[in-house]
Amino acid sequence: MQKATMNYKNSVTFFFLIALLILPFMLFPATAAGGVGGLEVYCGSRCRGRCAKAGFRDRCIKYCGVCCRQCKCVPSGTFGNKHQCPCYRDKLSSKGKPKCP
């Protein structure tokens, strides 16, 4: 009987430790998996680079961020290279002009 009690305590301890390891990933799935939080960091850094030489830098970063969140990519460089991200390239404003810088 004594031996069975020890196994039960070991099992409870084991499952408690496993739960502590898994719980953060269940509570914060987006940041743990590189989802929304990771996408914000990615878009912010890529758009700052893309808009580094823009005349209206704040506006450029704003629209680049919108496009990046929707397309999940930003072309390299400060101009052109839109073939690298077709979704980014094909987005149009309400006036039919390219939306993404």
Side-chain angles (χ1 to χ4, degrees), residues 65-85:
V66 168
C67 294
C68 179
R69 284 188 295 278
Q70 291 174 357
C71 297
K72 297 178 179 41
C73 64
V74 175
S76 62
T78 57
F79 185 78
N81 299 321
K82 290 188 177 182
H83 64 279
Q84 295 174 350
C85 185

Side-chain angles (χ1 to χ4, degrees), residues 18 54 63-64 72:
I18 295 296
Y63 288 111
C64 177
K72 297 178 179 41

Side-chain angles (χ1 to χ4, degrees), residues 7-47:
N7 286 339
Y8 174 74
K9 287 181 182 178
N10 289 341
S11 297
V12 169
T13 303
F14 174 76
F15 285 114
F16 179 73
L17 289 174
I18 295 296
L20 284 176
L21 291 172
I22 294 174
L23 189 61
F25 293 101
M26 292 172 63
L27 292 175
F28 307 107
T31 56
V36 176
L39 186 62
E40 290 298 321
V41 171
Y42 169 80
C43 290
S45 65
R46 292 296 301 250
C47 287

